[in-house]
Amino acid sequence: MINIAVSSQKGGVGKTTVAINLAHAFARAGVRTLLVDADPQGSVGLSLTRQSRLLTGFYDYLQDPGIALDRLIVPTRLETFSLVASGQASDYEAAGGMGAHLARVRTFLRGVEARGFDLCLIDTAAGLFGVTGDVITSSDAVMIPQQAEPLGIRSVPKLLEGLSRLRIMNPRLTVLGVCLTMVQHELAESAEAAAALRQLLPPEMVFRTQIPRDGLFVRASARGLPVGVLEDGAGAQAVFDALRLEIEAKLEPPRGAFG
Ligand SMILES: Nc1ncnc2c1ncn2[C@@H]1O[C@H](COP(=O)(O)OP(=O)(O)OP(=O)(O)O)[C@@H](O)[C@H]1O
Ligand SMILES: [Mg+2]
């Protein structure tokens, strides 16, 4: 199993949107995919499962690893796609020091792997501390959504500095790169932000695929669905299929787990 964290220092950059739709793209391609909501605010859960607040989830498990994993894993209509909601996160859990939950996060991931998933995609809260830090430290790879606007781009060097710290803690971590989100092709500022990002980072650190700003994403999440499920969602879904292919290419070799 490969596990990929979707993380950023900044909030509201499109992490949850990317995580949901990318997970769906992998699942549609036949990859047995588990999407884990590791944001204590529970946004994947809110978006994809009704009454997710009532579901036993990731944070419940961190507090009580005696909970059977099968109680956490929620199937969807797509056989290859399952979810774990965030559950009840106390403030303590969310803010706990780095490393405090490492052993439990790892036990969780081993348990998921034992259940036959090929991919575990983890949506994290903004920031690289606390449980998010422990998730990244336990992950094979991380991808970083970044909103295509000038202020957002200025935070990228800081993010990479943070990630290089995490790579010291987890030398196996593959930084898949930064994915531009909410791109408005008609806006000069959006194109300038993309160009600035490409100047700041080595070329392989910026995904070729860009996620356009599209009201479909807002509509899909209001209905609790990935965009690909909407009648007019094929175009938006295709963007995530392209992102999936880029990620597969980055992960193999040596990790050819996607077959
Ligand atoms: N490509 C897009 N086009 C239009 N709206 C988008 C797009 N991506 C995200 N949004 C909207 O922007 C808002 C923030 O997106 P999202 O929740 O995915 O960000 P996030 O990084 O997960 O935020 P947080 O840090 O709070 O977890 C949401 O209302 C979402 O619907
Ligand atoms: Mg989110």
Side-chain angles (χ1 to χ4, degrees):
M1 185 181 78
I2 301 263
N3 55 292
I4 303 176
V6 181
S7 302
S8 69
Q9 271 177 327
K10 272 190 68 144
V13 296
K15 289 181 294 299
T16 299
T17 304
V18 166
I20 290 171
N21 292 291
L22 183 61
H24 186 234
F26 274 109
R28 276 167 39 117
V31 177
R32 285 164 296 180
T33 303
L34 184 69
L35 174 62
V36 177
D37 189 352
D39 181 348
Q41 287 182 27
S43 31
V44 168
L46 278 185
S47 193
L48 286 188
T49 49
R50 282 173 222 301
Q51 296 179 306
S52 69
R53 288 277 168 207
L54 305 176
L55 292 174
T56 306
F58 181 70
Y59 282 90
D60 299 299
Y61 182 86
L62 291 190
Q63 286 170 77
D64 177 9
I67 296 174
L69 262 190
D70 296 317
R71 275 186 60 203
L72 308 185
I73 297 173
V74 181
T76 72
R77 262 184 250 170
L78 187 58
E79 202 199 320
T80 47
F81 192 20
S82 301
L83 311 168
V84 171
S86 89
Q88 306 300 316
S90 66
D91 293 342
Y92 169 79
E93 286 286 339
M98 187 97 109
H101 311 287
L102 208 45
R104 288 179 179 193
V105 170
R106 289 190 170 152
T107 306
F108 173 84
L109 290 172
R110 274 197 302 274
V112 168
E113 180 160 30
R115 274 156 187 78
F117 288 99
D118 303 314
L119 172 68
C120 179
L121 200 66
I122 309 172
D123 181 30
T124 68
L128 302 177
F129 45 84
V131 171
T132 299
D134 292 344
V135 165
I136 296 172
T137 303
S138 310
S139 290
D140 300 306
V142 63
M143 66 171 295
I144 308 127
Q146 177 65 54
Q147 197 174 338
E149 41 100 347
L151 269 176
I153 299 305
R154 271 178 231 152
S155 67
V156 169
K158 211 176 155 209
L159 171 63
L160 290 181
E161 185 193 303
L163 286 171
S164 51
R165 269 203 310 275
L166 288 162
R167 251 189 299 209
I168 293 167
M169 295 171 62
N170 175 9
R172 292 184 320 120
L173 186 70
T174 300
V175 180
L176 292 168
V178 176
C179 177
L180 278 163
T181 63
M182 305 188 223
V183 175
Q184 290 172 280
H185 292 291
E186 71 284 4
L187 272 188
E189 287 79 358
S190 201
E192 280 160 20
L197 184 67
R198 288 183 198 282
Q199 264 181 357
L200 282 168
L201 300 177
E204 71 277 9
M205 277 293 108
V206 185
F207 282 97
R208 284 190 306 279
T209 308
Q210 302 184 349
I211 314 301
R213 181 181 282 279
D214 188 334
L216 269 182
F217 291 107
V218 181
R219 242 174 67 213
S221 74
R223 291 176 52 191
L225 297 168
V227 280
V229 172
L230 299 184
E231 266 168 37
D232 47 354
Q237 176 64 54
V239 173
F240 282 95
D241 289 334
L243 190 59
R244 168 180 68 81
L245 291 173
E246 260 195 82
I247 290 174
E248 287 186 355
K250 281 170 187 268
L251 287 173
E252 64 183 48
R255 298 197 186 106
F258 295 113

